[in-house]
Amino acid sequence: RSASEMWVSRATEHAANQAVEHIYQYHQLHPEHDTSDDAIQHREEYLQKQAEQISHTNTMYTAVSLGMFLLSLGIMMDSLRENRELGQQLSIAEREAQSAKEIAELKESINSLFDNMPLMSYSKDAETGTYVVCNQAFADYACKETPEEVVGLTDYDIFGPEVARHFVQDDRKALAMDTSLVFFEEVADAAGRP
């Protein structure tokens, strides 16, 4: 794990722990047996505020994680280009071995980044629409036990026809753009649960 990944994980954990501590302290000061309308309204407002704070923190750290992922990916791609230039000086066998090692390292780095993102994350092959990598959160959403079970599948292999068509349309929109596309939406999982 890189230092930046550990920082995001610790920061997210710290923010969640703080919210839990605030809620605990609130419950100590405002017992639930007080069922007056004012107490119930105050409790609901306080819990809503804490939920919004947690949501905001998760969104912020997700954005930070995504930014670090994109930055790391750019650095890895630059490194890969530099290594390829050096590889031209090596024999064919040495180049093949070096390329295989670089690909394995790149896959490991990408998998590590995906695994440490707090929300569902995945990447697909632009031509075939098959999943090439995802994190455990997306594997759970796809009703698979591990991310490896998702790799090589298409939306039509995982989801019902209507949901699969929806995702394929979103992919086409993203591929038609010249900039990054990040969006949030609620779509039923592979088992049809919201």
Side-chain angles (χ1 to χ4, degrees), residues 122-149:
Y122 62 87
S123 182
K124 294 181 186 176
D125 181 286
E127 292 180 21
T128 65
T130 57
Y131 289 90
V132 294
V133 66
C134 74
N135 65 359
Q136 185 61 47
F138 185 80
D140 293 342
Y141 177 73
C143 296
K144 302 296 181 189
E145 291 201 22
T146 65
E148 291 77 18
E149 291 180 43

Side-chain angles (χ1 to χ4, degrees), residues 170-189:
D170 284 347
D171 292 347
R172 287 184 184 137
K173 286 179 200 173
L175 290 170
M177 300 178 77
D178 291 333
T179 60
S180 297
L181 174 65
V182 176
F183 58 92
F184 299 91
E185 59 184 352
E186 290 187 19
V187 178
D189 67 11

Side-chain angles (χ1 to χ4, degrees), residues 38-174:
D38 287 343
I40 291 171
Q41 181 180 356
H42 186 263
R43 189 177 303 117
E44 287 175 358
E45 288 171 358
Y46 182 80
L47 293 175
Q48 178 66 31
K49 180 181 172 189
Q50 291 302 312
E52 288 170 2
Q53 177 110 15
I54 292 169
S55 176
H56 173 74
T57 301
N58 278 339
T59 300
M60 182 177 70
Y61 287 115
T62 298
V64 169
S65 294
L66 184 58
M68 287 190 308
F69 167 72
L70 295 173
L71 178 63
S72 297
L73 187 59
I75 292 169
M76 287 185 284
M77 294 306 290
D78 287 344
S79 176
L80 185 59
R81 278 188 219 100
E82 290 173 10
N83 287 340
R84 282 191 179 153
E85 289 172 8
L86 291 173
Q88 291 174 354
Q89 300 168 4
L90 301 173
S91 71
I92 293 174
E94 290 173 323
R95 280 187 278 176
E96 288 175 358
Q98 183 67 27
S99 292
K101 180 181 174 192
E102 289 171 4
I103 289 170
E105 288 172 356
L106 183 59
K107 282 183 179 179
E108 184 178 337
S109 295
I110 290 172
N111 285 334
S112 176
L113 287 168
F114 270 80
D115 288 342
N116 287 292
M117 288 186 183
L119 297 177
M120 291 188 302
S121 301
Y122 62 87
S123 182
K124 294 181 186 176
D125 181 286
E127 292 180 21
T128 65
T130 57
Y131 289 90
V132 294
V133 66
C134 74
N135 65 359
Q136 185 61 47
F138 185 80
D140 293 342
Y141 177 73
C143 296
K144 302 296 181 189
E145 291 201 22
T146 65
E148 291 77 18
E149 291 180 43
V150 176
V151 173
L153 299 178
T154 67
D155 293 320
Y156 289 98
D157 297 325
I158 299 171
F159 305 99
E162 184 178 333
V163 172
R165 273 192 301 278
H166 176 79
F167 286 147
V168 169
Q169 288 172 351
D170 284 347
D171 292 347
R172 287 184 184 137
K173 286 179 200 173

